[in-house]
Amino acid sequence: MRLSRFHLHTTKETPADADVVSQQLMLRAGMIRKLAAGIYTWTPLGLRVLRKVEGIVREEMNRAGALEMLMPSVQPRELWEETGRWQKFGGQLLKIRDRKDAEFCYGPTHEEVVTDWARSELSSYKQLPVNVYQIQTKFRDEIRPRFGVMRAREFLMKDAYSFHLTPECLARGYQVMFDAYTRIFERLGLRFRAVQADSGAIGGNASQEFHVLADSGEDLIAYSTGSSYAANVEKAEAAAPGPRPVAAEAMARVATPAQTTCEDVAALLGLPLERTVKSVAVVGASGFCLLLVRGDHQVNEVKAANLPAIGADYRPATEEEIVAHLGCKPGFIGPVSPQREITVVADRTVAAMADFVCGANTEGFHLTGVNFGRDLPEPALVADIRSVVEGDLSPDGQGTLALCRGIEVGHVFQLGQTYAKSLGATVLDENGAAQVMYMGCYGIGVSRIVAAAIEQNHDAAGIIWPEPMAPWQVAVCIINPKNDPAVAEAAEALHGELQALGIETVLDDRGLRPGPMFADIELLGIPHRVVVSERGLAAGTFEYRARRAEAAEALDKAALLERLRH
């Protein structure tokens, strides 16, 4: 490949509307071009990288026994109504009408379509298990698309679906996919972690996310310093505390005229923040609720939503609702002596506290020395509803928890029978009885991986591709200000020799000065740069520099070929 015949348009300037490094570098390198909010054109350069990722994903899926297919991206409303997701999926579902006014959506995922296929195609247990996958464009109407292709509305995804007769078979298929995903990210050369996760809008039972580790990641991951335990903070379990101490103080009301936060109250009273309790008022499935967490902790919204008493549709209580139930405006509220009957949900840490401080439900006052069972009833519900923090004990009892950032690039689910039941997907078992199939779902964000790799691998000069993802492995650069035919011939010969060895090589024959030429090659992230020049030919050497190296080195051809083969 000659760069003089390849469309390459790089820029020095960082686009003003680019939020993160990957978006900035992909635009500067000319890999993508924005068409509309969250919708991008992939240029020939960007597509080379995208296809590298897609190729590794496809190879490992095939190796794991999955069968590739292709499903329609436009899906009828009726199918989504059968599973109840036409409304439940929310505003991310792009809904469209055809000329006959029939309603469709542009597929954000394909559980409905693949299950419809399975209920028509699969009739006997002898056809199971089966795993089918596709690599296809998806569309989710993000309310605020950002970070370039990392959170785009249109994106390329590999989604796979497996069908099984029993939960045990599903568990085995799930492990096969987990192992395949591990191989995919290892082959791509990425630093990653698999973590326990919440199933979210897809539903189902067990699920794990694969995260590329990067400081810019949106997701916070908790992992044990003493074991392999790791989980998204949304899912990470806070270790259960010990037994509650015996009450040692009498409850008292203290004036806190301007102190409306736990931090301010603790400072005024000269107490550790850990002695305070934060009351968060919400309206959920059981009506008005107070969620209680320790003053230095935060309510974990996902954990709370997973409690039947709270539910996925819960919301913050309004000031009017708070006053009606507690007799006080926010800032001084607490669980002691509410005006009306309420549901109190205490985090496990709070349930184990004695002599704590909370709001008095009177403006300008808090209560000290508060104890369950004496000053207020035991909580209606005790559950793990807080987000873990650095230094918490690991829930498996091995080590403590540390936190890092990650970018989710893959997710595997054990869906169970959720979709198969809704759509009536059954097969006949050995006894001729109809059995609802068990399903697994396995997604990889192919286009997101490209951005995540850049977030993890870059420097001030540009992208540093892991070799399996690079558009080319080697760039042969010609420095030939005198237009010496021998220099051009040597560069072309080296380019051809490397190609013949199966090393993807690009020849930079654009005639640029060394500075701009090298800046482009570094920006593009090509792993190896070889310079052919008149001075080098005279010395019988080539100037070689690895993308991560601090300096170049002179190598003869034998040494150069040996270096590039490994």
Side-chain angles (χ1 to χ4, degrees), residues 370-393:
V370 179
N371 286 273
F372 288 111
R374 186 191 71 185
D375 307 311
L376 75 165
E378 294 290 343
L381 177 61
V382 176
D384 174 21
I385 60 169
R386 72 173 177 93
S387 295
V388 298
V389 296
E390 191 102 16
D392 275 347
L393 292 176

Side-chain angles (χ1 to χ4, degrees), residues 475-491:
V476 174
C477 301
I478 304 175
I479 297 179
N480 193 14
K482 299 178 183 178
N483 293 317
D484 184 342
V487 175
E489 289 171 8

Side-chain angles (χ1 to χ4, degrees), residues 307-440:
L307 296 176
I310 305 301
D313 297 325
Y314 87 92
R315 60 171 174 81
T318 65
E319 184 171 312
E320 291 75 15
E321 289 168 331
I322 292 171
V323 171
H325 287 83
L326 302 177
C328 179
K329 292 183 179 180
F332 304 94
I333 64 174
V336 179
S337 302
Q339 295 286 313
R340 297 183 185 176
E341 185 176 344
I342 64 172
T343 298
V344 174
V345 180
D347 181 67
R348 294 189 300 194
T349 305
V350 172
M353 291 174 67
D355 302 326
F356 59 84
V357 178
C358 65
N361 288 329
T362 302
E363 189 169 351
F365 290 91
H366 278 72
L367 298 173
T368 63
V370 179
N371 286 273
F372 288 111
R374 186 191 71 185
D375 307 311
L376 75 165
E378 294 290 343
L381 177 61
V382 176
D384 174 21
I385 60 169
R386 72 173 177 93
S387 295
V388 298
V389 296
E390 191 102 16
D392 275 347
L393 292 176
S394 178
D396 63 5
Q398 301 180 54
T400 58
L401 293 181
L403 303 178
C404 66
R405 289 276 169 191
I407 301 166
E408 183 190 345
V409 290
H411 205 155
V412 291
F413 303 84
Q414 289 190 40
L415 291 178
Q417 296 178 309
T418 304
Y419 294 93
K421 278 184 178 178
S422 297
L423 292 162
T426 63
V427 294
L428 297 180
D429 64 15
E430 291 176 312
N431 300 315
Q435 298 289 340
V436 176
M437 288 182 282
Y438 290 84
M439 289 178 60

Side-chain angles (χ1 to χ4, degrees), residues 54 58 62 66-70 131-135:
E54 184 179 324
R58 180 175 281 110
N62 293 344
L67 306 172
E68 187 169 9
M69 65 186 301
L70 185 62
N131 187 326
V132 293
Y133 78 97
Q134 63 176 352
I135 299 175

